[in-house]
Amino acid sequence: PPLRLGLKLTAMVERVPLFAGLAAGEVSAVGRLLRARVVLPGQKIVTRGERGDAMYFIAAGVAQVKLAMGDVELGEGAFFGEVALLEHKPRNADVVAKGVCHLLRLDARDFRRLLAARPDMRQEIESVAAQRRG
Ligand code: CMP
């Protein structure tokens, strides 16, 4: 069985507002697409310029997006790494764990499937990505 590292997958999924509207059965279906990952303080999660192969949801902790105008901090419930997947472009920033982060990783292929099945989620993720592009 996968290593749980303290937080149960369904509890992690429920911490993400994007998934808040899901019924119990849908939470477990979405949960099957997600891989729990713990990253340590200072660890780089996403590297600017690399090809995007996944996006991440923060179940606990804070991640820093390293931008020219300063760092942007993303906390529990936020997500990142969606821009490269939506635009088929390289990562536009480094993202680093500030403290210990409990992440949910969604692979690019499952990202495309989830968004095709859930237009509401597609719309929410696209609107956040549009704000981040400025
Ligand atoms: P991606 O380009 O895949 O990888 C870097 C990520 O940093 C990017 O997706 C966004 O999720 C995130 N990001 C980039 N710019 C901002 C911003 N201004 N505010 C918050 N997050 C950002």
Side-chain angles (χ1 to χ4, degrees):
L3 193 56
R4 287 287 187 239
L5 297 161
L7 282 174
K8 282 214 175 96
L9 191 65
T10 50
M12 294 175 74
V13 174
E14 284 165 355
R15 289 179 174 202
V16 178
L18 185 75
F19 302 134
L22 295 176
E26 295 176 309
V27 170
S28 51
V30 167
R32 279 193 286 276
L33 304 177
L34 300 165
R35 294 287 167 274
R37 184 176 158 197
V38 178
V39 292
L40 300 177
Q43 199 175 330
K44 203 190 278 185
I45 306 155
V46 154
T47 301
R48 183 181 160 89
E50 284 191 352
R51 196 178 61 84
D53 54 356
M55 71 171 290
Y56 298 88
F57 300 89
I58 303 175
V62 174
Q64 292 176 315
V65 183
K66 302 289 189 179
L67 299 172
M69 64 274 254
D71 296 347
V72 172
E73 294 196 349
L74 300 176
E76 183 176 313
F79 56 80
F80 59 89
E82 79 291 357
V83 175
L85 300 189
L86 286 171
E87 299 189 356
H88 304 283
K89 281 185 185 161
R91 300 293 195 192
N92 65 17
D94 285 346
V95 183
V96 177
K98 189 178 182 193
V100 174
C101 281
H102 293 253
L103 302 176
L104 293 164
R105 179 190 154 102
L106 178 64
D107 285 337
R109 200 164 55 134
D110 293 323
F111 170 83
R112 288 193 299 272
R113 286 185 185 149
L114 182 64
L115 266 53
R118 301 292 308 218
D120 53 329
M121 289 186 192
R122 167 178 286 279
Q123 194 175 27
E124 176 61 21
I125 292 172
E126 282 180 348
S127 107
V128 169
Q131 287 164 32
R132 289 173 176 177
R133 278 194 307 271

